[in-house]
Amino acid sequence: MTQWHSYLITQQVEIADRRVLHFGDPQQELQATASATILADLSHLGLLHVEGEDRVTFLQGQLTNDIRLLDGSRSQYTGYCTAKGRLLALFLAFADKERICLQLNGALLEPAMKRLQMYVLRAKVTLRDASSDIVRLGLAGDVAERLLTEQFGQAPRSVHEQLTLPDAVIIRLPGQRPRYEIFVPVDKAPALWESLRRTAQPVGAPCWDWLEVEAGIPDIGPATQEAFVPQMVNLDVLGGISFKKGCYTGQEIVARTHYLGKVKRRTLPLHIPAGLEAQAGDPLYAGENDSEAVGMLVRVAPSPHGGLDALAELRLEAMQPEAIRLSPSGGACLRLGTLPYALPE
């Protein structure tokens, strides 16, 4: 158990596998997430530090986005692909002091780190798991910016803007409501948590997952590794691919998908009615008694409105919006929603 989790246990929290499930009332916390300002621990996410004088050059040849643009003032999404252009991981990337920080699904940190290490060779690069050294907090809601300004004297205002302070990094995340992530050393985290929770309600990780779904932000986890080319999960629309940076692993497939025509598979929001169970990696079908899957669930979270909200990768040309199901043999139809950003025509 980490020092930070030892502190959290004093907050009447339910934790399983580094993931904060709730602070006593999961349903009430979901309701607060949709209507109030909330505070979430994000320990379930992994944090990888890439250090050394060759760190930028090394990552430039591995990831889909232009790492040279990370100067301590902006963050970016970026993908890590196989040679066939299939996503192995999705990172939130930013620079802090003399390192590049990569945040990803916590279950993938060890395999991603091991795979990256294989390609370091003679480069002056060190990879380090910083998940236990840096506490990650999510803050979202109408008064989130005011709380940050009171605490730190300022707050980032535009999406992906990064505020780098001596003892904190704050990033404004995409979303329909103000949403931020705060990175602080472990010894600074308890005092910050106590200060923010006076106004913001503590909530479990499922609530933060729902905010990510609402914002249209995909995730790559064990069940969806190597399932998608980056454009299938809208990484191009989210600014997570550079088509000018040059070669990286999987670049040929990603570029071909971009330049040879319209992307035929995209990720869209989907609501799953109460009573149905679903998780990332589950297949989707577009008609009764049609055994061919037309897509896959990318990310799933409990909804404040009942049931589940999800992001679903779908084959657009075969999709029947009125008849998307979890089973090829019938069952309830799932309702498509609207993304908070526009997809290319």
Side-chain angles (χ1 to χ4, degrees):
M1 183 179 297
T2 67
Q3 177 184 342
W4 171 241
H5 282 121
S6 296
Y7 165 78
L8 278 182
I9 287 175
T10 68
Q11 308 294 300
Q12 298 180 326
V13 67
E14 185 74 23
I15 301 177
D17 296 327
R18 298 173 64 99
R19 181 178 173 86
V20 171
L21 302 180
H22 58 80
F23 286 83
D25 192 339
Q27 191 56 43
Q28 190 277 331
E29 291 169 24
L30 270 174
Q31 297 298 324
T33 303
S35 60
T37 296
I38 59 92
L39 175 65
D41 170 68
L42 305 181
S43 296
H44 57 286
L45 302 175
L47 185 64
L48 178 62
H49 281 173
V50 184
E51 302 168 323
E53 62 183 79
D54 295 335
R55 62 191 181 279
V56 173
T57 303
F58 169 70
L59 290 176
Q60 192 76 345
Q62 299 294 325
L63 306 182
T64 61
N65 216 337
D66 193 341
I67 303 302
R68 296 171 300 184
L69 300 179
L70 299 179
D71 60 1
S73 68
R74 304 286 299 177
S75 68
Q76 62 180 220
Y77 292 118
T78 185
Y80 181 36
C81 296
T82 67
K84 295 182 179 180
R86 296 279 166 161
L87 281 167
L88 289 163
L90 179 61
F91 297 119
L92 174 67
F94 61 97
D96 178 27
K97 303 179 177 69
E98 298 300 315
R99 61 193 175 217
I100 302 295
C101 305
L102 303 175
Q103 181 174 266
L104 73 162
N105 185 302
L108 298 184
L109 187 142
E110 186 175 340
M113 185 174 173
K114 184 176 180 180
R115 188 181 180 98
L116 283 168
Q117 188 67 55
M118 291 169 53
Y119 295 97
V120 170
L121 302 176
R122 296 183 181 179
K124 295 179 180 178
V125 171
T126 302
L127 306 174
R128 186 171 66 86
D129 179 0
S131 305
S132 297
D133 302 332
I134 304 296
V135 171
R136 285 88 66 210
L137 302 178
L139 185 68
D142 291 341
V143 300
E145 182 178 336
R146 175 175 65 80
L147 292 179
L148 290 174
T149 301
E150 291 173 353
Q151 187 71 41
F152 297 102
Q154 54 187 316
R157 296 192 173 184
S158 60
V159 171
H160 282 299
E161 182 180 347
Q162 175 184 337
L163 179 61
T164 303
L165 302 170
D167 288 322
V169 169
I170 308 170
I171 294 173
R172 175 75 181 258
L173 299 175
Q176 294 177 291
R177 65 197 76 222
R179 204 162 64 97
Y180 305 85
E181 186 166 355
I182 311 164
F183 300 79
V184 292
V186 172
D187 63 330
K188 304 292 183 182
L192 177 60
W193 179 273
E194 293 293 343
S195 178
L196 293 175
R197 71 167 296 167
R198 294 188 191 116
T199 302
Q201 176 169 340
V203 300
C207 297
W208 192 260
D209 290 342
W210 180 74
L211 289 173
E212 292 275 82
V213 169
E214 182 190 50
I217 308 302
D219 183 38
I220 300 298
T224 55
Q225 269 194 311
E226 300 190 48
F228 312 119
V229 170
Q231 289 96 326
M232 293 179 184
V233 293
N234 307 343
L235 195 57
D236 53 337
V237 185
L238 292 166
I241 306 173
S242 170
F243 295 103
K244 299 178 180 179
K245 60 172 280 187
C247 294
Y248 56 88
T249 304
Q251 183 263 345
E252 182 179 354
I253 302 300
V254 177
R256 185 186 306 163
T257 302
H258 175 70
Y259 288 114
L260 294 187
K262 183 178 179 180
V263 177
K264 297 180 180 179
R265 307 182 74 102
R266 283 292 188 181
T267 291
L268 300 170
L270 199 65
H271 181 72
I272 301 170
L276 296 180
E277 295 184 1
Q279 58 188 354
D282 285 353
L284 294 168
Y285 303 89
E288 198 168 339
N289 299 318
D290 185 351
S291 61
E292 183 182 359
V294 298
M296 178 184 292
L297 290 175
V298 176
R299 188 169 205 157
V300 181
S303 172
H305 313 296
L308 303 168
D309 285 331
L311 294 175
E313 181 267 350
L314 294 163
R315 179 156 50 93
L316 299 180
E317 62 185 14
M319 187 178 63
Q320 302 173 40
E322 72 285 355
I324 301 173
R325 305 174 189 270
L326 287 169
S327 169
S329 57
C333 293
L334 313 181
R335 187 177 74 247
L336 278 175
T338 303
L339 286 168
Y341 48 81
L343 294 175
E345 293 293 334

